[in-house]
Amino acid sequence: MWTTEPSLNQKHLTCPFCGLACDDLSITPGDRGIESLDPKCDKAKQGFRLALQAVSRGPRSNGAPVSMEVALQQSVQLLKSARAPLFAGLATDVNGMRATLELADRCGGVLDHLNGDAMFRNIRVVQDNGWVACTLSEARNRADLILIIGTQCFDRFPRFVDRVLLPRESLFSPKAGRHLVMLGPWQNNRLPATLKDYAPITLHAHPSQWADVAGMLRARLGNRPVDSGRLGGQLAEGVEELARLLREAKYSVITWSAAELTFPHAELVIERWAALARDLNQTTRSSVLPLAGNQGDITSNQVCTWQTGYPLRTSLQYGYPVHDSRLFRYQDLIENNTADLLIWISSLDPEAKPPACDLPTIVFGHPGMELGQEVEVFLPVGVPGVDHTGHGYRSDTVCTLPLGQLIERGLPSAATLLRTLLDRLGD
Amino acid sequence: MLIKLSGGTVYDPANGIDGRVMDLFIRDQHLVEPPADNEPIDQHYPLEGKVVMAGAIDLHTHIGGGKVNIARTLLPEQQPAYSRPRAGRMRSGSGGIAPSTHATGYRYAEMGYTTCFEPALLPVNARQAHMEMADTPLLDTGGYALLGNDEFLLQLIAEGAEQQTINDYVAWTLRASQCIGVKVVNPGGISAFKFNQRALDVDDVHPHYPISPRDILRTLSRALHQLGVPHPLHVHASNLGVPGNYLSTLATMDAAEGLPIHLTHIQFHSYGTEGDRKFSSCAAQIAEAVNRQANISIDVGQIMFGQTVTVSGDTMRQYANHGHAHPRKWLCMDIECEAGCGVVPFRYRDRNFVNALQWAIGLELFLLVDDPWRVFLTTDHPNGAPFTSYPHLIRLLMDRSFRNDMLARIHPDAGASSHLASLDREYSLNEIAIMTRAAPARLLGMTDYGHLAPGAVADLVVYHREGNPEQMFERPMLVFKRGEVVAREGAICASVNGSTHVVRPEYDQGIETRLAEWFARYHSMSLRNFGISDDEMADGIGSPVVIHPCASTSHP
Amino acid sequence: MSPFVPQRLASMRPRQIAAITLHQGNRTLPAGELFDVTGSPGGRIVIQSDSELLDNIGMGMADGELMVEGQAGGYLGRGMSGGFLQVAGATGIFAGSAMSGGRILIEGNAGDLLGGAAAGERQGMRGGFLHVRGSAGDRAGDRQRRGIIVVEGNAGDYAASRMVAGTLIILGQAGHQCGLDMRRGSLILNSKPKSLPATFNVSGGHQLTFLTLLNQYLESHSAPWAFPGNSRIRRWVGDLACDGRGEILIQA
Amino acid sequence: MIINGVEIEDTFAEAFGMSATRLIITAINERWARIAGETMTGFATSVIGCGVEGGIESILNEADTPDGRPGVSVLLFGMSGSVLGKQLEARAGQCVLTCPTTALFSGMTDGEPLPLGKNLRYFGDGYQISKQLGDQRYWRIPVMDGEFLCQEHTTRKPAVGGGNFLVLAATQAQALTACEQAIAAIARLPGVITPFPGGIVRSGSKVGSKYKALMASTNEAYCPTLRGLVRTQLSQDTGAVLEIVINGIAEEEVGWAMRTGIQAVCELGSAQGIQRISAGNYGGKLGRYHFHLRKLLA
C-alpha cells in the first residue's frame, strides 16, 4: 500500500461513505471522535464517527475471541472444503475487490454486492439498451434543466444539492437560469431545506406513476397522439410543462437513485427515462446521471467488470466467468441452498451485516460490526479511507478517488487478509 | 541467471540487423554482451532455423479505462464467445472483442506482444486506466493523455494564453495522469458536441470559444515539441468516418506546421466522395502526403470483417454513427468537462460496400506509405477489429496472393473501386519488425525497448519460420518478458506484471495555482486528488513507473 | 446446478446423456448421478428430475422429443430451433428464451420472462410455439420477436414488455402495466388486465379475420382458442411511449 | 365419330404451357366474395391483351375457406411467372384489397412462391402487421372497413392454357344455348376455368393479319358471313360457330373439362341444331399439349 501521513487533521479528506466521494472535507477532532465536519454532511459525519469510534474486539470464531492465526486457519479450512462459496457484501475498496476476485477465481465462487438489487436496475438498462450519460462536473457546469426522480436522493447523497444541483459557480449554466424539476411523492415529503428558497418545480407522483410520466413525455416529445390527461389533472399539467422545458433546454439531465425504485422490474422504468434522454438528443442535449456508489457498489462492480469481463452477479464456479444478474442474486443463492459457504466482506458500514442464515460464514467486517448471530469466523478489517489508503469509485463510474489513511490502529485491510488467505490456499 | 540463445536468425532493425544468424545473451532482465568464455550458461536455447525479434509493441490499443469497461457492460451477450478458463495461477477471463484484463494480457503475450499503449486516457479517469492495465499481466503499458476538448485548455487558447502556459499545463497533465504522450480526439469537437454542435471541421469555429481545431492542433503539437516529449501529438482527426474527410486529414497534417505529428487510425480518415455511392478511397492522396512530409507518422486502424465494438472519445462522431450499431444498442457519455466517450457495437461485413472498401483502404495505406518507420500496424483495437486479428493482418501484408484471394471475396464494387489488386508490395520480415517493434519504440522514446542490442530490456520473441506468416505470428515458439519465458508455443506458462511507461517534462509549478482555483470553482474533485503519485502507481495501483527522458527543452 | 447444455440432447442415447458432465458448485459430476434418463435416440427421451435448479434443459435442441418428468430450472429450451420439449411440472425463469422453432409444453407454471430476452439480448423468443398450461410470471414475452406464446392460466405484471413482434395469448388474468414499451406485436387477453400504461389508446371494437386463423392454429397445437367463435374484441394500440404499433386485444 | 347426330371432327385442340396460381378470396358473404373474384378476373380473357387469363374456379362454403367465411377460388394463368406475378399484384391490389370485407389467401401449397401480401403490405404505410402462424405468414393491412388480411405468398406452378373446342350450329341462338350448357357443366369441375365472357368466345382467331401491327386476326375460315369469299371450314347450313376455351392446372383437368363440355353439347344433339364439334390448333407446332377430340370422347 502506498501511504499517506495518518492524521485526522487533514484539510481535504475523501469520504468513502457515499457515491459522491466528496474530497473537500475537514474534521475537527473532539473528545469523542469528531467535534465537527466541514462542510456539513450528516452521512459523512456518521460514517467517520462510526469508523473512528469503533473498538475492534479482534478476530472471533463462533463468537469467541481467537488469534488472527487461528481465524485464518479456520478460514482456509472452510474455503478448501467449500463446494459453492458465495462472496457477497463486497463493500470494500479497489484492492479489496481485486483480492476478492482472485480468491473467488481460485475457489470457484459467486460474487454479488449487498446493493446488487439497486445496482442491477441500472446495469440491466445499459446491458439491454445503453444510454447517454454524464458525470457530476458536466451536470454541475452545463445542465440548465435537472429532473430529479424520487425524493430520497437527498438522504442518500446529502451534498448533491450544493455540489451539482445548485453549485456556487458553474461554467456554462448559472444558477439563475437553471430549472430544477422534482418528480416524486413530494406531497407527503418535505423538500430539503437547501432547496426551499430556490423553489423548484415539483411534480407530485407516486413511484407507480413514474413509468407513465416518462412514457407520456416520450410520446409528447415524439409528437405521438396521447392524452396526458390520463395522468390526472395536476400531474398532467406538470407533464405538459416539463415536456416544454425539456424541449427548450440546452442540456437537460435526468437523475435518480436506483435504490429508491424498490419495486420489481424497476429497470423497465429506468429504461424509459434513459430512452427519454436519448430521444432528446435528436434535437438538443440530454443525459442521465444515475446516482449510486454507496457501500462501494460501483467500485466492486468496476473491478469485477474489468477482471472477469462481466459485471457482478458473476460466477467463477465453472472455472471461467458466467454472468447472470437474476440467477446469481446472493439472497436467492442463500435461500435456495445453492451456496455452502458465505464470505461476507463489508468494511464501510457496521450495520451492513451478513444476512441471517444457516450457512457457514466468514465475515471480513467493519471493526464496529456487532453480529446478532455469531458466525464461524469474524475478521475485523480496517475501513478504507480511515484505517488504510485505498481507492473508491464515485457514482458516475469515471472518477476513482484516492482514499487516505487517517489513523493507525493496527487493523489490516480486507485486501491484506484476503491475499494472506490466497497464499495459504496454495495452488 | 545467464541465458544463451544460439543460432537464431535475428531481425533487429533498430540496430541494422536484417536476418543475421547470431547468438544473444540475457542476464537477468537485460540483453548483454557475450560473457567471458569461462562463465557458465544457466539456460541454453538452441534456435537454429528460428526467427528472433524484440517483443512487439502496440502503440494504439484500447486496453484500459472506462470505455472498455463500458463496452464489457454493454455487451454481456458477446462475452461468452471467448471464455478463458482459470489454469493454475493464471486467471480466468472472457470476451473476444472486449476481453477482460487478464485475458487481454495473456492473449497479447501469446502473440509475442510485450508492451501496449492505451491511446485515449482521460486524465480524470487515469487511475482506472492504470488499474486496468496493471491487471493486464505480461505487458508493459502506458497511456496518452486526452487533451484538446478539456474546457480549461480551450479557455486558455481562447484567451490567447502564452505558449509557455500551455506547455506547463500539458506537462502537468502528463505528470498528473502518469502518461507518456498526449492525444487529441476530434480537436474541440467533443466539447462542441456538448454545446449541441454536430460537426466541426478543421477550420470551423467552436460554438463557445472563438477558436478552431486548427488552433488546438497547432498549440498542442508545439507544446509537445517544445517540452521535448518524444511521442509527437497523437491525433484522431476531425470528421472520423465522414465521406470526403481526407481533406480534413490533409488540413490536420498542415496544422502541425511541420512539427512532428502522429495521425492515428488514418484508415477512418481517408475517405472521398467519388462514385455512385459517394464513398471512395483517398488512400493514395493520404499516402502521398505522408510520404512527402517526414514530420508525419501514422497508424492504420485496419478493419477486419466480423463483430466488434467501437470505443472512442469522439462522442460527436459516435453519436452520429449510432444508427449503425449492431446489435442495436449504444452508449455515449459526457465526462467531467474534459472529454467524452462513445461505445457503439459494430459488425463489419465483407458483402457491404462501405465496409469492404474500408478494408481495402486500410491495406492500400499500408502498401502505399513507403517508410515502414512511419506507418504502424494497428486495428485500433477493438474499433477496427480485435487485436487477435494481427497475425492475419500480417499475412495480408506479407503475402500478395493471399491478399488477392481475400480481395476476391469482398463486395465486388468495392474491390473494383480499389487499387489494391495492382499493389504488388509484400512486406518483409524486417519491415514487420520495424513497424511492430523498432519504430514504435523509437517514436515513443523508449530507448531500451524494441531492439536486441546489449542493454536492452530482454523482451523478445522466438518464432518458428513457417510458410504462412499468420501461423508464425499467432503461435511464437517462445516469448521472453524481462528475461523470463512467459509463453511457449502460443500458451502462457508464467505470469509477470508489467510497468507503466511515462515521460516527465519539466514545468513551472505556478500553473497549479491557477488549476487549483479552476478545480475549486468548477470541478467535482480537488486538484490534489487529481494527480497520481509514483508511490500510488507502484503500491496502490500496482504498476510501477518507468520514466523515459525528454529531449532538452527548446523554448519558443 | 447449471448449466445443462448438451447439444442435440434428443438425438443422444440415454447412456450418453447420463454421462454429460454437469456443474454443481465448483465441482463437476455426471448427469446420471443427478437424475434418471430413459428412452431411445430418435424416440422420446425421458428425464426424471425434480430439481428447480437444473438450468438450460434442452438448450439448442433442434429435433426429437424430450420429456422432463418433474420440474425444470431456468432457461428451459433456450435457443431451441426444433423438436418437442415437454415438462410435467413447473419451470424457472426465461423458459423458451431465444427459441426460434419447435414446440415447448409446460404443464405447470412458468417463471418470469417466459420467452424473454436474456441479459443484453435485443430479442426474446424468435419463433416456434410455447405453451404453458399453468400460469406465467412477470414479463412474459419480453422483447419477443416472433412465434406464439399461450398461457392458459394467469400472467404477472408487464406481460409483453418491450415486445418487438409476435403473439402472446393470456387466457387467465393478466397483471399490471401490460404491454409496457411494446413496439409491435399482439397481446391477446381474455379479460381486462389489471392495468395498461397510460400511453395506450383505445381503437374500439372490432372483428378481426386473422383471429380465426389463429384459433385454427392453436387447435392444431392442442391449445385452447384465443377467443370463442368470431367474437368482437376491444383493441388498444400502443405503446405510444415508443413505436406504438403494438396492439392489445381484449375480449369485449 | 358421331354422337347424338353431332359430328366429332377428327382434329385436336392445341394448348400451351402456362404458369398458374390459385387464390382464395373470402368475404362477409358469398355475394361479396364473388364480386371480388369476378372483378379480379374481369378483363382476363386472353394473354394477348389482358396479361393473364383468369376466372372463378369454384364457389367455396364456410367449411372450405381458411377463415371460415364464404369465398371463391380463383385461377390466374400467365405465360410466365413474372407476368403472372405483376398481374397478380395489380389485380389483388386493385380488385381485392379495394373490395369490402374481403381477405385473400393462397389456394395452393406446392410450386414456386409468388408474392401476395409481401408487396401489398406497403399499402399499410407502416401500420401493417405481420403474423406468422406455423410456416405461413399473413399481413394485416388496415383499411377503412377494418383489416385486409392477406397471406404473404401464394405459389405458382406449370399449368395448361388454351384447351378448346368449337361448336358449329345451325343458328346463333342454338350455338349459344349449347355453349351455355357446356359452361354450366364445366363450372362444376375443379382445376379449370373458362376465361372468356360467360366462358364463351366468338372471335376465334388465327395467327397474323394483313395489318402489320396485329399479331392475330379473325379466323375467316369459321366466319359464316365470309363463306364464298374465303376458303371456309363451314358447310352451307352452319349459321354460327362459338368456341369454349379452357385453362387448367393440369393436362388431365383440361381434357376432362373438354370432354364434359362436348358431352353437354352433344346431349342437345342435332335435334337442337348442333352440327359439328371442332377444335382450334396451329398444326401442332406451337403448343405442347394436343387434345384429340375423338380420343377424349372414346
Side-chain angles (χ1 to χ4, degrees):
Chain A
M1 287 296 107
W2 92 99
T3 53
T4 61
E5 185 69 25
S7 165
L8 274 176
N9 292 310
Q10 291 183 32
K11 276 204 101 168
H12 299 285
L13 296 180
T14 306
C15 167
F17 301 112
C18 103
L20 295 183
C22 304
D23 67 347
D24 58 351
L25 299 171
S26 46
I27 288 176
T28 308
D31 301 339
R32 300 174 60 236
I34 298 177
E35 176 77 30
S36 68
L37 186 78
D38 182 60
K40 262 202 164 96
C41 173
D42 289 346
K43 187 151 188 154
K45 191 172 177 186
Q46 167 88 343
F48 280 115
R49 191 177 57 76
L50 290 171
L52 293 169
Q53 284 180 355
V55 181
S56 170
R57 295 199 282 127
R60 277 164 277 161
S61 170
N62 293 308
V66 291
S67 68
M68 178 62 83
E69 182 55 31
V70 168
L72 288 172
Q73 271 175 18
Q74 286 190 357
S75 301
V76 168
Q77 283 316 311
L78 286 167
L79 283 167
K80 272 189 172 161
S81 57
R83 300 182 75 148
L86 168 61
F87 292 79
L90 310 187
T92 180
D93 61 343
V94 167
N95 281 329
M97 190 56 197
R98 281 168 150 176
T100 303
L101 279 157
E102 192 165 355
L103 188 60
D105 205 6
R106 184 78 57 84
C107 303
V110 185
L111 301 141
D112 189 14
H113 193 273
L114 60 94
N115 281 353
D117 282 348
M119 192 160 52
F120 274 95
R121 286 172 202 140
N122 288 333
I123 291 176
R124 284 179 188 143
V125 176
V126 176
Q127 290 180 325
D128 285 3
N129 279 16
W131 59 29
V132 180
C134 72
T135 61
L136 299 184
S137 290
E138 292 291 356
R140 169 185 172 128
N141 287 298
R142 210 173 292 278
D144 53 355
L145 166 62
I146 302 183
L147 169 62
I148 303 110
I149 299 160
T151 59
Q152 298 174 16
C153 296
F154 309 100
D155 302 327
R156 290 207 170 81
F157 307 93
R159 291 184 61 209
F160 189 47
V161 176
D162 65 293
R163 296 197 61 211
V164 176
L165 297 185
L166 299 172
R168 248 199 330 272
E169 287 190 272
S170 168
L171 275 168
F172 312 114
S173 171
K175 217 192 287 196
R178 276 186 179 212
H179 291 289
L180 298 187
V181 183
M182 326 250 302
L183 173 74
W186 286 108
Q187 251 153 352
N188 313 320
N189 290 270
R190 297 217 335 248
L191 278 183
T194 40
L195 282 178
K196 279 212 180 90
D197 295 341
Y198 189 77
I201 301 164
T202 50
L203 299 184
H204 305 295
H206 186 265
S208 64
Q209 294 175 289
W210 295 351
D212 271 341
V213 172
M216 200 56 79
L217 287 166
R218 282 193 74 196
R220 297 292 289 126
L221 289 164
N223 295 316
R224 289 182 288 273
V226 285
D227 174 13
S228 58
R230 229 178 265 159
L231 298 174
Q234 238 185 349
L235 184 56
E237 281 169 34
V239 164
E240 290 295 325
E241 168 76 355
L242 179 52
R244 186 182 64 77
L245 290 173
L246 284 168
R247 197 179 267 133
E248 289 170 2
K250 288 193 175 75
Y251 197 109
S252 52
V253 169
I254 302 175
T255 185
W256 64 86
S257 158
E260 186 173 352
L261 283 79
T262 50
F263 47 91
H265 313 290
E267 58 266 29
L268 289 173
V269 179
I270 294 173
E271 188 174 310
R272 279 197 152 182
W273 290 107
L276 173 65
R278 190 189 59 203
D279 291 353
L280 284 164
N281 281 291
Q282 289 165 18
T283 53
T284 175
R285 289 305 321 275
S286 182
S287 290
V288 299
L289 180 67
L291 293 175
N294 292 0
Q295 298 281 8
D297 53 18
I298 298 289
T299 302
S300 52
N301 187 62
Q302 285 281 50
V303 182
C304 183
T305 306
W306 79 60
Q307 286 207 357
T308 70
Y310 299 102
L312 283 167
R313 294 194 174 170
T314 283
S315 163
L316 300 165
Q317 288 186 333
Y318 317 136
Y320 53 88
V322 175
H323 165 72
D324 196 307
S325 70
R326 291 180 174 90
L327 290 182
F328 302 134
R329 181 174 182 263
Y330 81 88
Q331 295 94 327
D332 296 339
L333 296 177
I334 291 170
E335 192 174 321
N336 64 24
N337 292 314
T338 324
D340 66 355
L341 173 67
L342 173 64
I343 300 97
W344 184 262
I345 299 158
S346 173
S347 58
L348 289 162
D349 176 0
E351 291 307 313
K353 300 171 192 178
C357 64
D358 299 334
L359 283 184
T361 302
I362 307 171
V363 173
F364 296 81
H366 188 283
M369 189 178 286
E370 289 297 333
L371 301 181
Q373 180 189 347
E374 285 303 338
V375 294
E376 277 64 18
V377 183
F378 181 92
L379 291 155
V381 293
V383 179
V386 175
D387 289 292
H388 60 84
T389 54
H391 292 106
Y393 267 87
R394 212 168 69 181
S395 169
D396 52 24
T397 73
V398 173
C399 302
T400 326
L401 273 292
L403 305 171
Q405 183 179 359
L406 307 188
I407 53 171
E408 176 56 62
R409 53 182 163 179
L411 278 172
S413 67
T416 307
L417 286 186
L418 289 160
R419 290 209 180 279
T420 307
L421 287 181
L422 256 171
D423 289 342
R424 292 187 177 210
L425 271 174
D427 283 325
Chain B
M1 172 74 89
L2 182 62
I3 300 171
K4 180 179 183 183
L5 309 174
S6 65
T9 308
V10 175
Y11 292 85
D12 185 14
N15 297 303
I17 297 167
D18 177 5
R20 190 191 308 162
V21 175
M22 55 190 286
D23 297 344
L24 297 173
F25 296 90
I26 300 171
R27 192 187 298 281
D28 301 328
Q29 301 192 1
H30 291 85
L31 287 145
V32 291
E33 297 285 356
D37 288 345
N38 56 358
E39 189 176 345
I41 302 290
D42 298 305
Q43 279 173 13
H44 177 216
Y45 293 91
L47 301 177
E48 282 72 20
K50 308 301 177 193
V51 171
V52 183
M53 293 184 188
I57 300 172
D58 193 340
L59 95 172
H60 190 109
T61 172
H62 297 279
I63 56 166
K67 60 202 171 305
V68 190
N69 240 17
I70 289 170
R72 294 177 185 120
T73 308
L74 186 70
L75 300 166
E77 79 286 1
Q78 303 287 339
Q79 300 294 77
Y82 176 89
S83 280
R84 190 174 182 109
R86 172 171 46 87
R89 294 239 165 189
M90 248 59 82
R91 298 283 299 276
S92 65
S94 72
I97 55 176
S100 58
T101 51
H102 293 85
T104 301
Y106 298 147
R107 192 71 197 93
Y108 254 121
E110 283 167 353
M111 293 179 359
Y113 276 80
T114 52
T115 306
C116 289
F117 291 90
E118 162 58 52
L121 190 150
L122 275 64
V124 74
N125 185 237
R127 279 187 179 82
Q128 173 170 351
H130 287 307
M131 283 170 180
E132 288 196 39
M133 291 193 280
D135 284 352
T136 306
L138 298 161
L139 297 181
D140 279 353
T141 59
Y144 313 145
L146 268 194
L147 286 176
N149 282 289
D150 47 319
E151 309 291 345
F152 183 77
L153 177 69
L154 298 184
Q155 192 168 318
L156 280 185
I157 299 174
E159 287 171 7
E162 301 272 326
Q163 182 70 36
Q164 188 57 51
T165 308
I166 306 279
N167 296 358
D168 290 340
Y169 173 59
V170 171
W172 172 83
T173 303
L174 284 166
R175 178 71 185 82
S177 61
Q178 298 278 14
C179 280
I180 195 169
V182 169
K183 183 182 188 200
V184 60
V185 171
N186 186 355
I190 304 171
S191 166
F193 181 58
K194 294 173 186 173
F195 292 92
N196 201 24
Q197 179 119 338
R198 304 297 167 119
L200 192 71
D201 207 346
V202 178
D203 289 304
D204 291 346
V205 176
H206 185 284
H208 185 75
Y209 308 98
I211 59 172
S212 67
R214 185 183 292 274
D215 297 322
I216 299 167
L217 289 162
R218 184 181 51 236
T219 307
L220 281 175
S221 55
R222 193 174 295 176
L224 291 169
H225 179 67
Q226 291 180 358
L227 289 167
V229 173
H231 191 53
L233 181 64
H234 198 94
V235 181
H236 157 145
S238 310
N239 280 330
L240 179 142
V242 178
N245 64 5
Y246 80 103
L247 291 171
S248 309
T249 310
L250 294 175
T252 301
M253 293 176 182
D254 185 51
E257 297 179 347
L259 294 178
I261 185 170
H262 178 87
L263 277 80
T264 190
H265 42 68
I266 201 159
Q267 179 275 127
F268 291 107
H269 303 270
S270 303
Y271 304 151
T273 54
E274 301 293 312
D276 294 344
R277 296 177 174 86
K278 305 288 174 216
F279 182 76
S280 59
S281 170
C282 284
Q285 290 91 322
I286 295 294
E288 188 276 326
V290 174
N291 288 337
R292 183 162 39 81
Q293 303 174 75
N295 61 314
I296 293 168
S297 58
I298 61 167
D299 65 83
V300 170
Q302 178 66 33
I303 72 143
M304 293 291 180
F305 304 116
Q307 177 71 49
T308 194
V309 56
T310 63
V311 299
S312 172
D314 193 345
T315 43
M316 176 186 268
R317 295 302 313 150
Q318 290 292 81
Y319 179 81
N321 283 327
H322 76 254
H324 298 296
H326 179 97
R328 281 205 309 193
K329 50 184 176 176
W330 54 277
L331 187 147
C332 278
M333 195 164 181
D334 295 325
I335 298 175
E336 290 298 90
C337 297
E338 189 175 286
C341 136
V343 179
V344 182
F346 212 92
R347 195 165 80 188
Y348 297 103
R349 296 175 176 86
D350 57 1
R351 308 302 294 175
N352 170 294
F353 173 80
V354 170
N355 298 164
L357 194 53
Q358 287 179 300
W359 177 85
I361 291 169
L363 293 174
E364 287 173 4
L365 286 160
F366 273 117
L367 299 169
L368 289 170
V369 172
D370 298 331
D371 182 0
W373 288 90
R374 291 197 286 127
V375 56
F376 300 88
L377 187 135
T378 65
T379 56
D380 188 18
H381 163 82
N383 289 315
F387 65 83
T388 45
S389 58
Y390 284 169
H392 178 83
L393 176 54
I394 290 172
R395 184 174 183 200
L396 287 169
L397 299 181
M398 293 185 72
D399 181 345
R400 182 168 54 92
S401 68
F402 175 69
R403 185 163 72 225
N404 287 337
D405 289 349
M406 295 295 113
L407 180 62
R409 291 190 195 174
I410 66 170
H411 192 288
D413 294 354
S417 66
S418 161
H419 298 300
L420 194 53
S422 66
L423 299 176
D424 294 340
R425 182 173 172 191
E426 291 185 333
Y427 270 78
S428 66
L429 276 179
N430 196 53
E431 287 177 316
I432 296 292
I434 292 170
M435 77 195 310
T436 58
R437 279 91 171 153
R442 193 171 81 178
L443 195 71
L444 287 156
M446 300 169 66
T447 46
D448 297 339
Y449 292 79
H451 70 94
L452 298 171
V457 172
D459 290 354
L460 59 86
V461 192
V462 180
Y463 296 101
H464 297 290
R465 192 187 276 278
E466 310 263 359
N468 176 347
E470 184 168 349
Q471 285 168 8
M472 172 174 170
F473 284 95
E474 190 139 54
R475 295 169 60 86
M477 175 185 163
L478 291 170
V479 180
F480 289 81
K481 181 67 191 168
R482 286 203 300 267
E484 190 179 336
V485 176
V486 294
R488 283 176 198 274
E489 305 296 348
I492 296 298
C493 56
S495 187
V496 297
N497 288 331
S499 305
T500 300
H501 293 259
V502 302
V503 292
R504 201 157 283 178
E506 289 184 17
Y507 63 95
D508 181 344
Q509 300 197 345
I511 190 73
E512 290 180 16
T513 311
R514 181 165 181 171
L515 277 162
E517 189 202 333
W518 170 276
F519 269 71
R521 290 174 65 186
Y522 305 118
H523 215 288
S524 55
M525 69 194 279
S526 68
L527 182 70
R528 67 189 283 279
N529 281 328
F530 196 83
I532 310 171
S533 73
D534 291 354
D535 282 350
E536 187 184 345
M537 282 297 295
D539 300 332
I541 287 170
S543 185
V545 295
V546 175
I547 303 168
H548 294 279
C550 291
S552 54
T553 312
S554 64
H555 288 284
Chain C
M1 281 177 283
S2 75
F4 191 39
V5 291
Q7 292 300 312
R8 295 180 165 270
L9 199 61
S11 62
M12 296 170 85
R13 292 172 184 286
R15 191 163 40 78
Q16 292 172 307
I17 295 173
I20 291 170
T21 300
L22 292 185
H23 288 280
Q24 190 172 33
N26 55 12
R27 330 240 162 140
T28 56
L29 68 173
E33 287 191 18
L34 294 166
F35 48 80
D36 291 331
V37 184
T38 55
S40 59
R44 173 169 255 227
I45 299 281
V46 180
I47 294 174
Q48 261 138 10
S49 165
D50 209 26
S51 169
E52 59 180 37
L53 301 174
L54 187 63
D55 300 327
N56 295 311
I57 296 178
M59 179 169 174
M61 182 168 160
D63 49 33
E65 285 188 28
L66 183 64
M67 162 90 194
V68 181
E69 286 184 350
Q71 47 184 343
Y75 300 95
L76 175 89
R78 176 165 164 78
M80 174 173 173
S81 61
F84 177 44
L85 175 53
Q86 188 179 356
V87 180
T91 69
I93 55 173
F94 284 110
S97 82
M99 168 183 187
S100 62
R103 183 154 79 97
I104 296 179
L105 174 60
I106 298 165
E107 305 275 2
N109 295 336
D112 287 353
L113 290 144
L114 175 72
E121 291 181 344
R122 298 290 302 171
Q123 296 179 359
M125 181 183 184
R126 288 147 219 189
F129 186 68
L130 178 48
H131 182 181
V132 179
R133 288 220 201 275
S135 292
D138 297 338
R139 293 174 73 175
D142 179 61
R143 279 192 170 168
Q144 182 183 349
R145 171 72 180 77
R146 197 176 289 151
I148 296 174
I149 303 178
V150 178
V151 178
E152 292 192 36
N154 303 329
D157 297 337
Y158 303 111
S161 57
R162 314 188 294 175
M163 183 183 242
V164 183
T167 305
L168 169 60
I169 301 163
I170 295 161
L171 299 180
Q173 174 69 51
H176 286 290
Q177 295 287 303
C178 286
L180 189 90
D181 284 344
M182 196 174 175
R183 286 170 52 206
R184 287 179 283 128
S186 306
L187 171 60
I188 299 178
L189 304 175
N190 236 330
S191 57
K192 271 191 190 156
K194 289 180 187 161
S195 68
L196 291 181
T199 39
F200 270 81
N201 288 344
V202 180
S203 90
H206 306 277
Q207 272 178 297
L208 297 176
T209 315
F210 100 93
L211 287 172
T212 317
L213 301 188
L214 181 63
N215 278 337
Q216 287 169 11
Y217 179 83
L218 295 174
E219 201 170 20
S220 71
H221 284 78
S222 316
W225 283 21
F227 300 128
N230 191 8
S231 30
R232 199 166 172 80
I233 51 95
R234 199 164 169 76
R235 184 169 192 258
W236 293 74
V237 292
D239 184 338
L240 290 151
C242 50
D243 231 4
R245 288 183 292 158
E247 63 178 356
I248 298 179
L249 307 180
I250 305 172
Q251 190 167 5
Chain D
M1 182 187 266
I2 294 171
I3 301 173
N4 204 14
V6 180
E7 183 196 350
I8 310 297
E9 198 178 315
D10 186 10
T11 184
F12 64 94
E14 186 171 354
F16 303 89
M18 295 186 88
S19 191
T21 184
R22 179 189 281 123
L23 305 156
I24 293 172
I25 301 169
T26 65
I28 193 165
N29 54 34
E30 186 187 314
R31 169 176 146 78
W32 283 100
R34 195 191 280 271
I35 287 172
E38 285 167 353
T39 312
M40 189 187 205
T41 56
F43 187 60
T45 55
S46 164
V47 292
I48 293 173
C50 307
V52 288
E53 300 172 4
I56 290 177
E57 179 193 17
S58 59
I59 306 298
L60 304 173
N61 62 33
E62 288 87 336
D64 298 328
T65 60
D67 63 0
R69 299 194 300 168
V72 297
S73 166
V74 164
L75 292 175
L76 285 182
F77 294 78
M79 290 309 289
S80 70
S82 67
V83 172
L84 181 63
K86 267 188 205 135
Q87 284 286 326
L88 175 60
E89 185 181 335
R91 287 165 187 267
Q94 297 307 309
C95 309
V96 186
L97 166 68
T98 53
C99 181
T101 77
T102 58
L104 181 59
F105 304 97
S106 169
M108 319 199 291
T109 49
D110 51 339
E112 298 288 305
L114 201 58
L116 203 58
K118 188 178 190 215
N119 296 330
L120 292 180
R121 70 176 199 245
Y122 295 110
F123 182 75
D125 200 25
Y127 299 107
Q128 66 273 23
I129 296 171
S130 157
K131 281 290 156 202
Q132 178 121 12
L133 295 172
D135 53 1
Q136 293 300 323
R137 180 188 266 220
Y138 301 88
W139 287 96
R140 297 164 53 198
I141 301 165
V143 285
M144 295 195 300
D145 75 344
E147 280 182 346
F148 173 51
L149 180 66
C150 186
Q151 199 161 343
E152 165 142 289
H153 285 106
T154 179
T155 57
R156 64 177 166 86
K157 59 181 185 183
V160 180
N164 67 79
F165 59 91
L166 300 170
V167 177
L168 287 70
T171 67
Q172 193 187 53
Q174 286 169 329
L176 185 62
T177 302
C179 284
E180 283 173 349
Q181 291 269 88
I183 290 299
I186 294 170
R188 289 192 283 271
L189 301 179
V192 291
I193 51 132
T194 50
F196 283 95
I200 308 165
V201 54
R202 68 169 178 189
S203 58
S205 62
K206 67 172 187 290
V207 177
S209 158
K210 70 180 278 191
Y211 305 107
K212 277 187 185 162
L214 289 188
M215 282 162 57
S217 57
T218 194
N219 195 355
E220 66 248 21
Y222 286 88
C223 294
T225 57
L226 297 182
R227 200 161 31 206
L229 187 62
V230 299
R231 217 168 111 176
T232 188
Q233 292 287 335
L234 307 180
S235 56
Q236 282 300 324
D237 56 351
T238 299
V241 182
L242 288 172
E243 181 178 356
I244 289 176
V245 175
I246 299 163
N247 291 358
I249 54 173
E251 192 175 358
E252 295 71 40
E253 272 86 350
V254 172
W256 187 253
M258 283 176 64
R259 175 191 152 97
T260 306
I262 293 168
Q263 281 176 337
V265 172
C266 291
E267 266 175 40
L268 297 172
S270 52
Q272 302 290 327
I274 310 301
Q275 299 167 336
R276 181 152 58 104
I277 302 293
S278 185
N281 63 55
Y282 310 91
K285 288 181 187 135
L286 294 177
R288 252 170 64 197
Y289 304 96
H290 299 165
F291 298 95
H292 292 272
L293 298 182
R294 291 188 176 176
K295 270 191 209 161
L296 284 176
L297 292 156

